[in-house]
Amino acid sequence: MPGRKSSASSPRAKVYRLHFSRDWVSRSGPKRTRQTTMIFVLKKPALVEFVVFQVAPECRRIGRFRVAGRAGVNRVRFRGRIGRRVLGPGTYRIRARMVPQGRAVVDTTLVVLAHPQPQGIASARNADACRSRPRGQSTSSTASTPGEPSATAASPGRSKTEKPSRAHGVLGARFAERGMDAVKSIPLWLFALLGLAIALLAVAALPLRATPTRGAGMALAYHRGMVALGGAALLVAVTVAYALH
């Protein structure tokens, strides 16, 4: 029948060119930075469901909302809310799918900031904690869903976090062994001379009231400079000897 033929040949509803007028919003600041406009195109009126996933810093599904779209360009004001739920700072992927078909056909990214500071937006756009979809895959593909990371994607992350700790332990052991070997290689007479130099400098700095006898105090008063000079000279000699060792 003619009517049935035209119904069968009519194209299925699809959403095209989903994007935001500004792909970030802030939780504070001027009103214009706390909202944006979601834009998409329909060839004919249809009910569109938008599923929101957080992909950074966490990987999880947030929720969904529906919009009754009309043929042509559709503009929907978006304030960073899904119903009563406010989106926290992070990177989100919003995927559109037709109702009742339920097939996702296009998605886009939105960055939510705590404060209106656009300098970090470039890195936030590419942030993805889910790692469930290979980079470069078309946005119209539905082979993987953000918020459901696979086991193969999680295991490399664990191995990367384990390697630095093992390397750190080996490196610390090597430095400890080298330090002990360096101390053992120093001759004992250098330690003795170093101790004598420190003792002479300590005697030179000793107050007269701290001397055990009056005669010792008078001797220290007359020879303090010589004692200090001898301790300093001996310390320099020890340093040079250690450098040449």
Side-chain angles (χ1 to χ4, degrees):
M1 296 178 62
R4 182 177 301 176
K5 183 177 180 180
S6 61
S7 174
S9 61
S10 60
R12 298 176 67 181
K14 288 185 178 181
V15 59
Y16 300 90
R17 290 180 287 181
L18 174 66
H19 66 281
F20 286 97
S21 59
R22 186 184 63 252
D23 65 348
W24 62 270
V25 295
S26 64
R27 294 267 60 95
S28 61
K31 183 178 180 180
R32 60 182 179 81
T33 66
R34 288 184 280 116
Q35 62 183 14
T36 184
T37 301
M38 185 172 60
I39 304 171
F40 60 95
V41 178
L42 292 174
K43 286 190 174 181
K44 63 178 183 178
L47 182 61
V48 184
E49 183 176 73
F50 297 91
V51 185
V52 182
F53 302 92
Q54 184 178 23
V55 297
E58 298 182 31
C59 179
R60 55 179 178 170
R61 175 169 172 163
I62 300 298
R64 62 184 180 177
F65 62 95
R66 293 182 176 182
V67 174
R70 64 175 185 271
V73 179
N74 292 259
R75 292 180 173 86
V76 179
R77 185 174 298 176
F78 190 79
R79 296 185 174 89
R81 292 174 176 266
I82 306 299
R84 296 183 178 180
R85 184 169 187 175
V86 178
L87 300 182
T91 305
Y92 296 85
R93 183 170 296 137
I94 300 178
R95 176 166 293 179
R97 63 187 185 187
M98 309 310 300
V99 178
Q101 294 99 322
R103 180 176 180 272
V105 292
V106 68
D107 64 10
T108 188
T109 300
L110 178 72
V111 176
V112 179
L113 307 171
H115 306 284
Q117 298 175 348
Q119 50 266 37
I121 294 178
S123 58
R125 288 191 185 105
N126 299 322
D128 189 353
C130 300
R131 305 297 183 190
S132 59
R133 185 174 66 183
R135 187 177 298 275
Q137 181 178 342
S138 171
T139 56
S140 62
S141 173
T142 58
S144 60
T145 302
E148 299 176 359
S150 62
T152 57
S155 57
R158 289 195 296 268
S159 62
K160 288 182 179 179
T161 57
E162 292 173 357
K163 288 182 179 179
S165 61
R166 292 197 297 266
H168 178 76
V170 173
L171 187 62
R174 289 180 179 177
F175 276 117
E177 293 174 358
R178 290 180 182 178
M180 294 180 65
D181 293 338
V183 171
K184 291 179 180 179
S185 65
I186 300 175
L188 293 178
W189 59 268
L190 274 180
F191 285 108
L193 291 179
L194 178 61
L196 180 58
I198 295 174
L200 290 174
L201 292 175
V203 170
L206 189 69
L208 294 178
R209 70 181 70 178
T211 55
T213 63
R214 183 176 180 182
M218 293 179 63
L220 179 61
Y222 284 105
H223 302 289
R224 187 188 297 273
M226 294 295 294
V227 174
L229 182 61
L234 187 56
L235 183 61
V236 171
V238 171
T239 304
V240 173
Y242 176 77
L244 296 177
H245 175 67

